[in-house]
Amino acid sequence: IDARDRMALDDLLEPLHGADIADLIEQITEFQRLTLVELWSGNIDGEILSELDEGLREELLSSLPAEDVAEAVRELDTDDVVDLIENLDDQSQAGVILGALDDADRVAVEQALTFPEYSAGRLMQREVVIAPSFWTVGQAIDHLRTAEELPEQFYHVILTDPRMRPVGHVTLGKILSSPRDMPLADIEEDSFRTFEATDPEAEVAYAFNQYHLISAAVVDEDDRLLGVITIDDAMSVLDEEAEEDILRLAGVDSEGSLSDRTLGTVRRRFPWLGVNLVTSILASLVIAQFDAVITEIVALAVLMPIVASMGGNAGTQSLTVAVRALATRDLTGANVWRVIRREVMAGLINGVAFAIVMGIVGVIWFGNPMLGAVIGVAMVINLGVAGLAGVGIPVVLEKVGVDPALASGAFVTTVTDVVGFFAFLGLAALWLL
Amino acid sequence: IDARDRMALDDLLEPLHGADIADLIEQITEFQRLTLVELWSGNIDGEILSELDEGLREELLSSLPAEDVAEAVRELDTDDVVDLIENLDDQSQAGVILGALDDADRVAVEQALTFPEYSAGRLMQREVVIAPSFWTVGQAIDHLRTAEELPEQFYHVILTDPRMRPVGHVTLGKILSSPRDMPLADIEEDSFRTFEATDPEAEVAYAFNQYHLISAAVVDEDDRLLGVITIDDAMSVLDEEAEEDILRLAGVDSEGSLSDRTLGTVRRRFPWLGVNLVTSILASLVIAQFDAVITEIVALAVLMPIVASMGGNAGTQSLTVAVRALATRDLTGANVWRVIRREVMAGLINGVAFAIVMGIVGVIWFGNPMLGAVIGVAMVINLGVAGLAGVGIPVVLEKVGVDPALASGAFVTTVTDVVGFFAFLGLAALWLL
């Protein structure tokens, strides 16, 4: 493809959707990327830019001529421009982009940037369709027909009072299916909700999902209309939040992406591995207390990772369920004790089941019934503790304001390792020596 | 609250959104739930039912009087009824619900149920708004004003040819802002996409997210219009898929929920713990090969979990990134080798960093430089292998058609455990004895 054939490239990329072209740019090598930009820079439009990964976007912006960037940016809605600018490390690029906008858009973008990151104010677009609440369907239609500039996509007409405070909204479907003399106020939706510009975007996404919203008005502290958030923005936020939780649970910093370089990857993985090193040394210290027992019965060294590993797995199961339930607000003060009780009971019951299996394995493998008993009892203890720690630790972390997805894993596996080794080797010291 | 005070309950629940009431029902105890149903059954509407967890919904349906269920169901769109019925284990309940519908809706629901589970056909609603492609804006508006029954929410008018094949669609915003004599064909969107009824819902959700769709037509194998899928349905699917990946990565069966009972939880956790038991016994077998070395140098037993645990963590990091990249289609044949190379390199570099740290710890703790060297080299080997297995295993599983989120974890930790113990104890046997 990259035989520097401009025409072939045009034929190939022209029919594709911006999001697909962005994916393609992410997947080719760096050298191919530079060639592509060189050959095709005039065609890289705002949509492609706003679909690109943050890291690549910056790289691409710096290699594109300023006028191409300006042209690409001008066609975007203000919320996409905000998204573009807020992730730029390089302030001069932000200047170029802002300079390319017309005055009204620039003011809108600059105002949006005054709201905190990850807030409704950053997510909203300024382009809104409003009508006074005393208008009729006919007046609204006439207004829309003569309006100069309408948003790319809109789903509601927002009704406002004379002081620009939103008081309700009407779906376009209702407007289209009602007679011209119908007052807008008579066909407004009863599910009208507004957000404050400073509301966190996670709250907004949650509400969109929970109440099946399509678009919602954003207001300032005086309840005046600032802009509107549409469902596609809420959908991306929801998607990002879930993605973040998945990666954080595995101890991966969520800012990374597949097109990062090796050193960036190393840096992002390092902290979590460091935490894990400290916690596994803690577990080793527990083992070190029992080195005399291990020298006596080497079978203990062979079997001890099983107890710890089963506890770690059971703990991770409980933990993941708890972290997700906290994120989706299914786990609250009202049911936390019931959930903890259930997880502990489930751990104990599974513990007994596997204790029986491992007890038998212990007897067959090492011909020692007491060794089977030791591993069995240790397993029951550790799986019960795993259930308790798996729910308890994320709940406590959430209470003290730490993201449970990020930190719970390290705590829970430390608990199950320490308890697992201690219970197994401790019981062995008591019963087998 | 549950002092059996009907009036207070009314006051409390009436202003709430159905989704919030469903959440409330999920969080109270079983006894409170029964009381609530007894007092308030007439008010439980279709919306609450369709927001409830599957398990609870069935419980609730069986305790509600048939006529209340019938009334609740009648107000739902067909896609919500399909969702309700497809998750019922009890066929007689499905019969009651179908019986409550009017004929047209019943046929629609029954037809939807003929499509495979998790397909576009199950997700779509039958209520569509169509117009012949030769109509003008004025004709469409007049048609909408006189139409008897319109869907609750709709965002496009779908243009069809005389054989009911969709040929394009027009946004309501465009219709509202165009003069009455404008032909609909002149203002249709260029991003029109249709899905086949048999397309998997995951594909549909991916396309909605990738191309920022709001609604899309569903067709049969002859390209004739069957129904329409709206973004809120796609959003729930996307949400469920991410949720499923999170839970599967942790080895939790995704059909469960917080309001399950203990025994259900035990059953759902058991299989994964069983797999883990087998893999950890495998690791133990490796350790057993070296029991003579461990008896000689008990420090090995103390330190060996550190090597395995670091490998397991690094493997889980790579694995999670790879599984998500496969799910979002960022990881393809085009970049898989580059990603594997990056992960292995990142693993090796982090391995060297931690090897130095652990080498020093080994020397200080046990005063034995060779022991430090052994743990250091084993760490480098295991973290490199973790990077390779972390990406390679999910990619291979995906190729052979197994869900990588479900199965990769067990394989990757087996590899890192076995390699970790083998490298550490094997090197110790070579260098320290």
Side-chain angles (χ1 to χ4, degrees), chain B residues 151-403:
Chain B
E152 186 94 0
Q153 297 267 10
F154 64 107
Y155 315 105
H156 292 103
V157 171
I158 299 172
L159 305 181
T160 56
D161 69 7
R163 299 188 47 200
M164 274 297 278
R165 289 183 298 213
V167 293
H169 66 182
V170 183
T171 66
L172 300 186
K174 282 271 168 55
I175 295 183
L176 275 170
S177 55
S178 303
R180 283 187 66 90
D181 54 6
M182 174 74 84
L184 290 178
D186 288 2
I187 51 172
E188 76 178 28
E189 296 293 294
D190 47 12
S191 68
F192 183 65
R193 268 162 213 275
T194 61
F195 295 98
E196 289 224 17
T198 50
D199 285 345
E201 61 174 21
E203 300 271 331
V204 175
Y206 171 79
F208 266 80
N209 197 24
Q210 173 86 339
Y211 306 119
H212 303 285
L213 307 179
I214 295 297
S215 73
V218 179
V219 296
D220 65 13
E221 64 271 33
D222 300 323
D223 266 350
R224 270 191 299 260
L225 183 66
L226 286 174
V228 69
I229 295 177
T230 51
I231 187 171
D232 54 320
D233 299 321
M235 196 164 168
S236 331
V237 173
L238 205 70
D239 205 33
E240 276 162 26
E241 297 271 320
E243 191 74 27
E244 223 176 70
D245 266 10
I246 296 181
L247 294 177
R248 285 190 167 169
L249 277 170
V252 184
D253 184 317
S254 52
E255 298 283 333
S257 92
L258 264 205
S259 38
D260 286 334
R261 293 165 200 231
T262 306
L263 276 183
T265 309
V266 169
R267 235 187 345 255
R268 258 193 313 282
R269 305 282 167 83
F270 190 88
W272 181 252
L273 290 174
V275 170
N276 184 58
L277 185 67
V278 174
T279 68
S280 59
I281 288 177
L282 269 182
S284 287
L285 287 175
V286 173
I287 302 174
Q289 304 313 306
F290 297 97
D291 52 0
V293 195
I294 294 174
T295 321
E296 204 76 22
I297 313 162
V298 74
L300 297 177
V302 174
L303 291 175
M304 70 186 185
I306 298 180
V307 179
S309 148
M310 290 296 280
N313 262 272
T316 306
Q317 290 180 333
S318 298
L319 158 74
T320 307
V321 170
V323 166
R324 284 311 293 169
L326 286 169
T328 56
R329 306 189 199 179
D330 289 331
L331 182 59
T332 62
N335 59 0
V336 63
W337 288 112
R338 248 174 306 136
V339 172
I340 288 181
R341 203 175 56 210
R342 188 195 69 180
E343 291 292 324
V344 173
M345 281 305 297
L348 289 176
I349 295 173
N350 268 327
V352 170
F354 287 110
I356 295 169
V357 175
M358 270 318 292
I360 295 170
V361 169
V363 172
I364 295 174
W365 193 349
F366 296 97
N368 184 343
M370 273 318 274
L371 185 61
V374 166
I375 196 166
V377 173
M379 192 89 89
V380 175
I381 295 174
N382 206 20
L383 263 68
V385 169
L388 179 65
V391 184
I393 289 176
V395 168
V396 169
L397 287 175
E398 167 103 346
K399 270 250 188 300
V400 299
V402 177
D403 179 357

Side-chain angles (χ1 to χ4, degrees), chain A residues 20 23 27 51 145 155 178 210-212 214 243 251 269 272 276 284 302 313 317 332 338 343, chain B residues 20 23 27 51 145 155 178 210-212 214 251 269 272 276 284 302 313 317 324 332 338 343:
Chain A
D20 288 331
D23 281 353
Q27 285 178 15
E51 297 282 349
R145 285 199 183 136
Y155 316 105
S178 302
Q210 173 87 338
Y211 305 120
H212 303 285
I214 295 297
E243 191 74 27
R269 305 284 166 82
W272 181 255
N276 184 58
S284 287
V302 173
N313 263 273
Q317 290 179 333
T332 62
R338 249 174 304 137
E343 291 292 323
Chain B
D20 289 332
D23 281 353
Q27 285 178 16
E51 296 284 348
R145 287 202 181 131
Y155 315 105
S178 303
Q210 173 86 339
Y211 306 119
H212 303 285
I214 295 297
R269 305 282 167 83
W272 181 252
N276 184 58
S284 287
V302 174
N313 262 272
Q317 290 180 333
R324 284 311 293 169
T332 62
R338 248 174 306 136
E343 291 292 324

Side-chain angles (χ1 to χ4, degrees), chain A residues 67-78:
Chain A
E67 62 267 33
D68 285 342
V69 174
E71 199 191 321
V73 163
R74 221 167 287 143
E75 55 194 52
L76 290 173
D77 276 340
T78 55

Side-chain angles (χ1 to χ4, degrees), chain A residues 395-408:
Chain A
V395 168
V396 170
L397 286 176
E398 167 104 346
K399 271 249 188 301
V400 299
V402 177
D403 179 358
L406 193 59
S408 300

